Amino acid sequence: MAGDIGWLNSLPPDRAEQELLTCCASRQWAQKVAASRPYPDAGSATAAAVAGVCELSWPDVEEALSAHPRIGDRAKAELSEREAAWSRGEQSGAAGADLAVRTELAAGNLAYEERFGHVFLIRATGRSAEEMLTELRKRLANSELDERIKVQSELADITRLRVRKLLGDK
């Protein structure tokens, strides 16, 4: 059954947290979402997951960011096979870009990291490399506060998609 939540509800807390960490790499977030079980359905779990991301402190957001590769880069070696596969699929729009766009993305990633001190995070699913590059350029002009708000929103979007994948709710 699509969106079956029973398997996640039945896991011991530490196992549930490990499963959830593949969706968002904040330990605080995974603990909170796991502790809020049981969920009546996948939609409730997804809503709780998104709300949990929106409630994270900035250090917890930074912890989650540490699991995300730069746009156009391969997933980090320490990620699970599931996370690496999700990352490749999410970034497929960047993978097929021409050399000039990939070069500009690489330079933009470095400029962004120098400006904000963390990886440029964007929900890459469904976006072309050109769209991501445009958004990166636009966000380089953000204030630090505005960018933190945007990053947390993007993290919530990514987490929503990943929790739905985890639960088989396409």
Side-chain angles (χ1 to χ4, degrees):
M1 173 176 133
D4 178 39
I5 191 72
W7 71 271
L8 183 63
N9 283 337
S10 68
L11 292 176
D14 61 330
R15 282 290 324 270
E17 290 171 20
Q18 287 303 309
E19 293 290 336
L20 290 163
L21 282 168
T22 66
C23 301
C24 176
S26 162
R27 290 172 301 198
Q28 179 68 30
W29 173 86
Q31 290 168 358
K32 182 176 183 174
V33 175
S36 297
R37 296 171 306 146
Y39 295 103
D41 54 42
S44 298
T46 303
V50 170
V53 169
C54 295
E55 295 166 0
L56 289 175
S57 68
W58 184 249
D60 292 323
V61 170
E62 288 180 309
E63 180 183 28
L65 291 175
S66 70
H68 288 271
R70 291 177 177 141
I71 294 296
D73 283 359
R74 292 179 159 264
K76 297 180 180 191
E78 64 270 12
L79 296 181
S80 71
E81 287 183 40
R82 177 192 301 152
E83 291 170 281
W86 285 350
S87 182
R88 281 190 304 275
E90 291 161 358
Q91 290 204 35
S92 62
D98 67 38
L99 180 59
V101 172
R102 289 194 321 265
T103 301
E104 287 185 60
L105 273 170
N109 280 328
L110 292 175
Y112 181 95
E113 289 171 25
E114 186 175 298
R115 171 132 166 66
F116 294 109
H118 56 79
V119 69
F120 170 67
L121 187 74
I122 187 168
R123 178 197 40 79
T125 301
R127 290 182 168 147
S128 69
E130 293 82 3
E131 289 171 312
M132 290 184 273
L133 180 58
T134 298
E135 184 67 12
L136 189 155
R137 289 175 178 152
K138 179 177 140 186
R139 286 173 50 189
L140 276 167
N142 281 350
S143 69
E144 186 171 335
L145 177 59
D146 287 342
E147 188 55 22
R148 285 184 175 192
I149 291 167
K150 182 64 176 171
V151 165
Q152 203 152 3
S153 173
E154 294 289 331
L155 182 61
D157 284 349
I158 292 165
T159 302
R160 175 186 301 111
L161 292 171
R162 288 184 173 188
V163 167
R164 290 182 69 188
K165 289 176 190 176
L166 179 71
L167 299 175
D169 187 18
K170 308 299 186 236

